[in-house]
Amino acid sequence: MTFKKDFLWGGATAASQHEGGYNLGGRGLSTFDAVTGGGYQIPRRITYMTEDGVCDESPVDSTMTGKIPLGAKGYIKKDVFYPSHEATDFYHHFKEDIALMAEMGFKCFRMSISWSRICPQGMYDLNEEGLQFYDDVFDELLKYGIEPIVTLNHFDMPLYLADHYDGWLSREVIDFFVFYAKIVLTRYKNKVKYWMTFNEMNVLSGWCQIGIHDNCPQNLYQAHHHIFVASAKVVMLGHEINPENKIGMMVSYTPSYPMTCLPEDVMEAIEFNRQKHFYMDIQVKGYYPEYQLKFFERKGIAIQMENDDLNIIKNGTVDYIGFSYYMSTVSSTDPNAEKTEGNQFIACKNPYLKTSDWGWTVDPLGLRIALNEIYDRYHIPMFIVENGLGAPDNIENDGTINDEYRIEYLRNHIQAMKDAVELDGVDLMGYTPWGCIDIVSAGTGEMKKRYGFIYVERYDDGSGDFSRKKKKSFQWYKKVIETNGDELD
Ligand code: P53
């Protein structure tokens, strides 16, 4: 047997993409509630109100980098479709969803808590009904022996903090976040053991995710500094509240290969990869790496810190590395190299590999490479908390959904992860494929880009009754879990 007996097989979603119930049960608004739906290459928009009462819209690109003028506030327009409002309605369907997960044999379920459901304004305000909702969800999971894996913050920001504090640019937000984290870490102390602080810290980039209005590099890195400090404080707090807690970091891991053996290309790839390693070095090793300090120096970026910040970062290092893996990319110094459009960045096309319908390079071996790069560098347990293929699905006349393409993608990636464990000896805790049930895409705001083993009747025009259907991959994944990854066919 390749995987440990207690290997955490499961699936993953996030509140702003799955939960819905945006104005129910005392929940406060979050930034994503003012972000419209879209489609591939149809940009989503932030709807907002300026200080002089003018209602306007601002584009959000596929990296979720949206900006609105300083002083403007997120505003929800009538008759406009906002996909996060209902998402795929976990709020009303959680019992059904969890029963289906249990049927697949899930050992764990990764989800996030919506900060504004607990603290409607994101400050020291508390919503008991919101706390009770997650109690009910965790109880339902535990009833089936499914371990909750909880991300404290997955891309959403209480709207009030974006409107009144310029989001994470304000240092005060550290205290607000630590307050929220303390509440939930304490409340769910006997129900949740596995936590992650922030989702994909290395891609947090603008108003939608971190509430900042102007994301020039100075502001962005200052906001990230506040997030580092908040995260480290929460890691320490979580260990105090329950020494059994396992608290991880989470990074979007897209390895970049040099296009050629030209040393300049190799250096280019190293620099590209530092955009992830920086976030891991801080949270795992506990300090700002030298290359990043030099980068700040060259760019004239000056991070304002308080006396104790570096100590906090040093002491609040994580127990494991959670990461998402979807694709690899290529670095080149040749200005004429052919480009491909991934979600996160424009990178060079890899002539050896195919891409998904959304331009993401499919590279199963890249996952084994990622697991080795990360393990060699940090030598702590790893958890693949997202992986999967976003693709449109068709319901056949007989009602079946034959997502062979998804099975093939996942099979090849699980094989790569088996090789990394069996042949390379990396320490892997678990695997939670992304969007195990269909949810709204984070990058494009669409329903059409589906990842699930479970189909949800919900469409980009807002139609659909949210009914759930098993896809072909449902039975396949059930078998994978049953055999602890031995049987992939
Ligand atoms: P969607 C870019 C590159 C890699 C991972 O993305 C990324 C992104 C941002 O889209 O984000 C993670 O929905 C993220 C999830 C997201 C998932 O990838 O654009 O943690 O919230 O849904 C897939 O296809």
Side-chain angles (χ1 to χ4, degrees):
M1 197 181 274
T2 307
F3 298 111
K4 302 175 186 173
K5 245 180 58 205
D6 56 355
F7 190 77
L8 290 164
W9 293 99
T13 69
S16 73
Q17 297 170 254
H18 187 199
E19 189 175 283
Y22 83 109
N23 59 356
L24 301 177
R27 182 182 177 280
L29 293 176
S30 92
T31 45
F32 270 101
D33 298 330
V35 182
T36 69
Y40 182 45
Q41 292 172 343
I42 304 172
R44 320 166 72 179
R45 309 187 82 76
I46 302 166
T47 51
Y48 66 87
M49 184 76 85
T50 66
E51 278 171 313
D52 352 322
V54 180
C55 186
D56 208 343
E57 298 186 0
S58 171
V60 177
D61 70 18
S62 60
T63 65
M64 280 167 277
T65 304
K67 292 188 200 195
I68 62 176
L70 260 179
K73 296 185 162 92
Y75 176 77
I76 292 175
K77 286 184 167 177
K78 279 210 171 62
D79 306 320
V80 169
F81 178 57
Y82 295 93
S84 76
H85 289 193
E86 282 89 25
T88 47
D89 203 22
F90 183 64
Y91 194 72
H92 295 109
H93 292 258
F94 70 91
K95 291 195 173 164
E96 187 186 348
D97 290 357
I98 292 169
L100 287 162
M101 291 172 197
E103 193 185 328
M104 273 188 280
F106 276 26
K107 311 283 183 226
C108 72
F109 173 50
R110 173 179 178 232
M111 53 178 276
S112 75
I113 295 179
S114 155
W115 182 358
S116 64
R117 191 175 291 292
I118 305 300
C119 305
Q121 297 191 328
M123 300 197 296
Y124 305 121
D125 48 335
L126 265 188
N127 176 31
E128 173 55 32
E129 219 181 323
L131 285 161
Q132 187 58 48
F133 170 69
Y134 294 108
D135 261 319
D136 296 345
V137 170
F138 298 145
D139 288 344
E140 197 66 18
L141 288 166
L142 295 172
K143 182 173 116 187
Y144 295 103
I146 300 176
E147 195 81 57
I149 316 276
V150 177
T151 316
L152 287 167
N153 189 233
H154 190 125
F155 286 170
D156 48 351
M157 176 95 201
L159 182 59
Y160 190 88
L161 296 183
D163 287 349
H164 297 271
Y165 286 86
D166 207 1
W168 279 101
L169 195 53
S170 294
R171 195 172 167 103
E172 288 103 310
V173 175
I174 298 175
D175 292 339
F176 299 150
F177 184 78
V178 173
F179 171 83
Y180 149 71
K182 186 173 183 182
I183 294 291
V184 299
L185 283 161
T186 308
R187 173 91 168 209
Y188 308 125
K189 180 180 159 175
N190 299 317
K191 299 184 182 177
V192 181
K193 259 203 335 258
Y194 295 91
W195 302 86
M196 268 169 274
T197 55
F198 292 85
N199 185 65
E200 293 189 343
M201 222 190 255
N202 58 321
V203 309
L204 301 179
S205 59
W207 186 85
C208 308
Q209 297 165 324
I210 50 177
I212 64 178
H213 289 68
D214 173 1
N215 69 342
C216 63
Q218 171 64 42
N219 287 353
L220 187 67
Y221 285 110
Q222 184 66 52
H224 284 187
H225 176 72
H226 295 150
I227 294 172
F228 291 141
V229 174
S231 179
K233 281 188 162 188
V234 168
V235 172
M236 289 189 274
L237 188 67
H239 286 147
E240 248 165 62
I241 291 171
N242 183 357
E244 305 265 281
N245 275 338
K246 300 275 177 242
I247 309 174
M249 57 152 295
M250 198 309 197
V251 69
S252 164
Y253 206 88
T254 301
S256 190
Y257 308 135
M259 180 70 102
T260 69
C261 52
L262 185 75
E264 280 78 0
D265 281 359
V266 176
M267 195 62 222
E268 185 81 7
I270 289 177
E271 286 185 349
F272 179 91
N273 286 326
R274 281 178 178 166
Q275 295 164 22
K276 317 178 266 295
H277 292 146
F278 162 44
Y279 293 86
M280 305 171 85
D281 288 348
I282 289 230
Q283 297 175 81
V284 181
K285 296 180 175 170
Y287 59 87
Y288 270 90
E290 297 77 2
Y291 57 80
Q292 193 66 24
L293 297 175
K294 288 290 179 190
F295 167 84
F296 288 159
E297 218 176 276
R298 281 196 304 278
K299 299 281 174 194
I301 294 167
I303 308 289
Q304 284 194 16
M305 298 192 192
E306 286 191 2
N307 281 340
D308 212 24
D309 285 4
L310 292 177
N311 240 338
I312 293 167
I313 287 173
K314 187 165 151 208
N315 293 322
T317 55
V318 294
D319 302 318
Y320 66 93
I321 296 170
F323 70 97
S324 66
Y325 176 83
Y326 293 91
M327 60 191 146
S328 63
T329 185
V330 178
S331 297
S332 168
T333 44
D334 174 3
N336 300 318
E338 194 185 343
K339 299 284 194 287
T340 171
E341 188 161 357
N343 204 11
Q344 206 180 349
F345 26 68
I346 309 276
C348 298
K349 188 171 163 54
N350 189 325
Y352 304 103
L353 299 172
K354 295 207 176 88
T355 57
S356 77
D357 293 352
W358 274 263
W360 292 19
T361 303
V362 178
D363 180 11
L365 184 54
L367 177 56
R368 181 172 166 201
I369 292 169
L371 284 162
N372 277 284
E373 281 179 357
I374 298 172
Y375 199 58
D376 284 351
R377 205 176 161 104
Y378 302 107
H379 237 81
I380 63 171
M382 296 176 289
F383 197 157
I384 301 167
V385 296
E386 290 183 28
N387 172 235
L389 178 71
D393 291 318
N394 271 324
I395 308 184
E396 307 292 336
N397 289 337
D398 63 359
T400 57
I401 300 155
N402 300 311
D403 56 341
E404 285 292 347
Y405 35 90
R406 184 168 294 111
I407 296 176
E408 189 195 329
Y409 178 101
L410 293 171
R411 178 192 290 129
N412 294 338
H413 284 77
I414 295 175
Q415 185 58 53
M417 133 186 145
K418 269 171 95 164
D419 291 345
V421 172
E422 225 167 71
L423 305 175
D424 308 320
V426 306
D427 184 355
L428 186 62
M429 298 160 61
Y431 179 66
T432 55
W434 182 244
C436 51
I437 173 164
D438 291 344
I439 55 178
V440 178
S441 157
T444 68
E446 294 169 284
M447 274 310 303
K448 189 173 171 211
K449 191 182 188 191
R450 295 172 182 269
Y451 287 87
F453 303 111
I454 302 162
Y455 189 90
V456 179
E457 296 248 13
R458 174 69 162 174
Y459 303 97
D460 287 327
D461 59 0
S463 67
D465 62 4
F466 297 110
S467 60
R468 272 72 170 145
K469 282 190 173 53
K470 297 173 196 171
K471 303 182 194 174
K472 187 167 188 183
S473 54
F474 185 99
Q475 297 302 340
W476 173 81
Y477 191 48
K478 180 173 193 269
K479 194 61 174 273
V480 172
I481 298 178
E482 233 167 60
T483 60
N484 200 14
D486 278 347
E487 193 155 320
L488 299 182
D489 291 330

